[in-house]
């Protein structure tokens, strides 16, 4: 019997046909809206100029093939390459899906990341459009295969190449913005982690200072308890056990203190100039710090207002010592030679410390590599733990100032409160999830897409008109001119299609038809009118055989306009 457990099935979010990879939700409402818009685009493209679309396709395949085009544009996000190539091939048969092809080209190139894939997809889509249009042009009575290639080239450039280039630029811009957002978010997270590390380090330093001071006091208690135990051995043996209990309790307290605070590890000697004592933070201690800075080449002076701090709690004095020492250290690092003023103001309830330096005589490089840049965060944490506040920043004269204010008597347990995080860093990155930004981006995207479709439509219409007007000079030029005895198919390959306007102009003004003629063909009269008359060529057939070619002129009443002509 096998001991292997059954595999645990993981929960996978079902992928929608209408959403790109990684996009959440089935997006059914969006797909329904896009289906309606796509159908409207197909109908508008089909009916924008009935004269052109009469020549560029027959009516019945446009309905089912247009529905296929709508279905392809709906799945363009899930299958961008297949949707683009399919719509491009479909465009060669029904040009009314050309705008849908432009939308698919933009989406596909926006999603594809490598230039080689984008180039290959665009080339394949353009080739599919040209091949299908050239193959189906004679079948759909568009004209020769040469005309189909020319028409497909115009449509491919307008609806595949140009939207593809725009989509490529948009995709690269999106990826660049996403990378910048990720980099900004990473930098913000790194800053927060560094600040958190600085605050924790400052708390560890405070705990280490407590360990040093309390250890000294407990050592003295243990020493005196041992002496008392020896003295009571002869004088009062009944009290000797009490003294032994005090000594053992003190020893256990010292051991527990070392075990609790021992996890902090060494701080690399970062405890100031010499060990912290009962004089730390007093006027004499601050004067010693200022004097040491003078010895290091910094013109520093001390202004003390109010009584000394020797009667204040040790944690307040240590905070004053820390602010002054760290501020002077920063002056040595970043503003060597600048004049420094250290001001300590001690009132009845508060202690205010201000260290201000002027502009340095010579500017140092922005990055000197002298410090970690987290000293301000540590000072702010220490002051905040006592219920005070600290401000630091450049001065108008080019210097720098650090100002701290803290209560003179914080009260018990002040160092256990949570300090507020430092919010002076960079602004949070604008994520794509904010509601107003998403709405603005969607509106801007809709307007941009609408303008893009209008531009593609204008470019496509201009190209189709240009090809349509040149078809009679290029596409139907044949090395074998029509002659009597040719079949209808041979004549249609050599001349233009039957033109209703030419047929209407010839009505009542044409010479009599041959008696055996069953029908006649009136190609488009592409020549220039002379003396107000237009030349028309008539090809008459008996069944499918050409029996007569007649040339005659008719009076021209109005100039051609929009591909339509009106005659008497």
């Amino acid at each position: 019997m096998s001991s292997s457990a059954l595999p645990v099935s993981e929960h996978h979010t079902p992928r929608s046909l209408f959403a790109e990879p990684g996009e959440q939700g089935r997006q059914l409402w969006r797909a329904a809206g896009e289906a309606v818009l796509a159908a409207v685009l197909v109908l508008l493209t089909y009916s924008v100029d009935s004269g052109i679309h009469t020549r560029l396709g027959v009516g019945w395949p446009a309905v089912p093939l247009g529905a296929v085009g709508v279905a392809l544009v709906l799945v363009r996000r899930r299958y961008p390459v297949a949707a683009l190539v399919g719509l491009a091939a479909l465009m060669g048969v029904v040009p009314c899906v050309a705008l849908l092809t432009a939308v698919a080209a933009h989406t596909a190139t926006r999603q594809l990341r490598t230039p080689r894939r984008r180039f290959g997809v665009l080339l394949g889509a353009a080739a599919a459009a040209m091949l299908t249009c050239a193959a189906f042009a004679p079948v759909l009575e568009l004209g020769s295969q040469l005309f189909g290639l020319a028409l497909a080239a115009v449509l491919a450039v307008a609806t595949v190449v140009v939207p593809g280039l725009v989509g490529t630029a948009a995709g690269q811009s999106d990826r660049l913005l996403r990378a910048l957002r990720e980099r900004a978010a990473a930098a913000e997270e790194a800053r927060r982690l560094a600040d958190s590390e600085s605050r924790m380090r400052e708390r560890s330093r405070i705990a280490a200072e407590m360990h040093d001071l309390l250890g000294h006091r407990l050592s003295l208690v243990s020493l005196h308890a041992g002496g008392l135990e020896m003295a009571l051995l002869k004088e009062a043996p009944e009290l000797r056990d009490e003294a032994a209990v005090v000594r053992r309790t003190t020893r256990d307290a010292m051991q527990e203190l070392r075990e609790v605070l021992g996890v902090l590890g060494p701080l690399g000697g970062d405890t100031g100039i010499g060990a912290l004592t009962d004089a730390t933070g007093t006027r004499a201690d601050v004067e010693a710090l200022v004097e040491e800075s003078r010895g290091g080449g910094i013109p520093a002076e001390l202004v003390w207002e109010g009584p000394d701090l020797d009667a204040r709690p040790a944690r307040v004095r240590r905070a004053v010592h820390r602010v002054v020492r760290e501020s002077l250290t920063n002056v040595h690092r970043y503003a060597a030679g600048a004049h420094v003023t250290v001001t300590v103001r001690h009132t009845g309830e508060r202690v205010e410390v201000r260290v201000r330096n002027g502009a340095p005589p010579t500017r140092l490089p922005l990055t000197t590599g002298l410090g970690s840049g987290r000293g301000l965060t540590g000072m702010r944490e220490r002051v905040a733990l006592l219920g005070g506040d600290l401000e630091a920043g450049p001065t108008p004269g080019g210097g720098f100032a650090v100002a701290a204010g803290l209560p003179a008597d914080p009260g018990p347990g002040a160092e256990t409160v949570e300090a507020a995080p430092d919010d002076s860093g960079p602004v949070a990155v604008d994520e794509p999830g904010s509601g107003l930004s998403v709405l603005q981006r969607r509106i801007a995207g809709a307007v941009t897409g609408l303008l893009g479709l209008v531009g593609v439509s204008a470019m496509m219409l201009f190209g189709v008109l240009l090809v349509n007007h040149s078809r009679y000079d290029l596409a139907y030029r044949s090395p074998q001119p029509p002659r009597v005895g040719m079949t209808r198919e041979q004549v249609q390959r050599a001349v233009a299609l039957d033109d209703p306007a030419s047929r209407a102009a010839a009505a009542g003004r044409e010479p009599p038809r041959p008696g055996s003629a069953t029908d006649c063909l009136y190609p488009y009269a592409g020549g220039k009118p002379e003396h107000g008359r237009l030349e028309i060529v008539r090809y008459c057939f008996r069944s499918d055989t050409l029996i007569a070619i007649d040339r005659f002129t008719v009076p021209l009443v109005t100039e051609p306009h929009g591909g339509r002509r009106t005659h008497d």
Side-chain angles (χ1 to χ4, degrees):
M1 184 175 181
S2 175
S3 60
S4 60
L6 293 176
V8 180
S9 60
E10 297 181 359
H11 177 71
H12 295 282
T13 303
R15 296 182 61 184
S16 173
L17 290 174
F18 314 118
E20 61 182 289
E23 190 177 8
Q24 299 296 329
R26 295 184 179 274
Q27 310 295 338
L28 296 179
W29 287 106
R30 183 180 66 182
E34 289 181 351
V36 174
L37 292 177
V40 171
L41 286 178
V42 172
L43 293 177
L44 287 178
T45 308
Y46 185 78
S47 60
V48 67
D49 193 316
S50 59
I52 293 178
H53 284 89
T54 299
R55 295 186 178 93
L56 296 185
V58 293
W60 71 267
V63 176
L65 294 182
V68 174
V70 172
L72 287 175
V73 82
L74 292 181
V75 299
R76 71 189 187 279
R77 293 185 179 89
R78 177 71 181 276
Y79 306 105
V81 177
L84 174 57
V85 176
L87 280 169
L90 197 62
M91 181 178 60
V93 182
V94 278
C96 59
V97 299
L99 292 182
L100 303 185
T101 306
V103 174
H106 182 273
T107 303
T109 53
R110 190 167 186 167
Q111 290 186 10
L112 298 178
R113 295 180 176 272
T114 59
R116 180 175 299 178
R117 290 195 64 189
R118 289 193 294 266
F119 175 78
V121 169
L122 291 180
L123 183 62
M130 297 180 70
L131 289 176
T132 55
C133 192
F136 283 91
V139 177
L140 300 177
E141 298 183 356
L142 291 175
S144 64
Q145 292 183 347
L146 180 61
F147 174 75
L149 284 175
L151 177 63
V154 171
L155 294 178
V157 171
T159 62
V160 176
V161 177
V162 174
L165 295 178
V166 175
T168 298
Q172 291 177 345
S173 177
D174 290 344
R175 286 185 287 274
L176 177 60
L177 288 177
R178 190 179 301 111
L180 291 177
R181 287 194 185 99
E182 293 175 355
R183 180 175 296 181
E188 176 70 10
E189 184 65 21
R191 185 193 70 86
R192 292 176 180 174
L193 290 177
D195 289 348
S196 177
E197 181 183 359
S198 299
R199 290 192 292 268
M200 294 303 298
R201 183 176 178 84
E202 189 64 26
R203 294 188 180 192
S204 300
R205 185 181 289 109
I206 294 173
E209 294 171 1
M210 293 172 58
H211 172 271
D212 294 340
L213 294 177
L214 291 178
H216 176 64
R217 297 290 192 277
L218 291 175
S219 297
L220 293 178
V221 172
S222 178
L223 178 63
H224 287 293
L228 182 60
E229 182 182 1
M230 295 297 295
L232 293 176
L233 181 61
K234 296 179 180 180
E235 301 293 335
E238 66 277 4
L239 298 178
R240 177 178 174 275
D241 293 339
E242 299 295 334
V245 170
V246 173
R247 181 176 56 80
R248 286 195 301 270
T249 303
T250 304
R251 183 188 60 192
D252 294 341
M254 291 181 60
Q255 182 65 27
E256 292 175 358
L257 181 64
R258 291 191 184 97
E259 292 176 356
V260 172
L261 300 181
V263 296
L264 300 175
L267 294 176
D270 189 16
T271 56
I273 50 174
L276 296 176
T277 63
D278 291 340
T280 299
T282 61
R283 181 168 185 170
D285 178 62
V286 175
E287 287 178 348
L289 291 175
V290 174
E291 184 63 29
E292 184 183 13
S293 294
R294 291 196 193 103
I298 299 294
E301 62 175 332
L302 173 64
V303 178
W304 191 285
E305 300 178 6
D308 203 345
L309 297 177
D310 50 0
R312 293 302 177 185
R315 55 190 176 207
V316 175
R317 291 185 279 107
R318 291 197 302 269
V320 172
H321 174 93
R322 171 79 167 146
V323 171
V324 174
R325 179 172 61 85
E326 186 67 30
S327 301
L328 291 176
T329 302
N330 288 337
V331 174
H332 281 275
R333 288 172 176 172
Y334 307 115
H339 183 271
V340 183
T341 302
V342 179
T343 303
V344 180
R345 183 178 293 107
H346 178 201
T347 61
E349 298 180 353
R350 289 186 65 82
V351 178
E352 297 181 358
V353 182
R354 182 178 178 87
V355 181
R356 177 170 181 167
N357 64 273
T362 57
R363 285 289 179 184
L364 295 178
L366 294 179
T367 56
T368 61
L370 296 176
S372 62
R374 299 298 172 183
L376 291 176
T377 304
M379 287 192 294
R380 186 176 286 108
E381 177 70 9
R382 179 181 287 260
V383 172
L385 287 173
L386 295 177
D389 56 83
L390 183 141
E391 296 181 358
T395 60
F400 198 85
V402 178
L406 59 155
D409 190 1
E415 291 184 349
T416 62
V417 298
E418 289 293 333
D422 181 16
D423 294 332
S424 60
V427 181
V429 181
D430 181 21
E431 295 295 334
S434 58
L436 184 60
S437 299
V438 171
L439 179 61
Q440 290 176 344
R441 277 192 290 270
R442 288 181 178 177
I443 294 177
V447 173
T448 304
L450 180 61
L451 294 178
L453 288 178
V454 171
V456 170
S457 301
M459 184 168 50
M460 182 181 66
L461 182 61
F462 176 77
V464 169
L465 289 175
L466 184 63
V467 174
N468 189 49
H469 280 287
S470 64
R471 65 190 295 183
Y472 307 107
D473 296 330
L474 298 176
Y476 287 93
R477 183 177 299 171
S478 174
Q480 185 178 7
R483 65 178 186 273
V484 176
M486 279 187 171
T487 63
R488 182 187 295 272
E489 182 179 358
Q490 292 175 334
V491 174
Q492 288 180 343
R493 291 179 180 177
V495 301
L497 297 177
D498 187 72
D499 185 33
S502 299
R503 181 182 292 272
R509 294 176 177 83
E510 59 182 327
R513 297 183 179 182
S516 59
T518 57
D519 64 321
C520 295
L521 176 67
Y522 298 82
Y524 168 67
K528 295 181 179 180
E530 296 181 0
H531 306 293
R533 300 185 69 84
L534 185 67
E535 183 182 14
I536 295 179
V537 181
R538 182 184 66 187
Y539 301 89
C540 293
F541 298 89
R542 182 174 57 243
S543 297
D544 287 334
T545 303
L546 181 62
I547 60 173
I549 301 176
D550 299 311
R551 298 178 183 272
F552 54 93
T553 60
V554 296
L556 183 66
V557 177
T558 58
E559 291 294 329
H561 177 71
R564 305 178 186 275
R565 293 167 172 79
T566 304
H567 302 271
D568 291 337

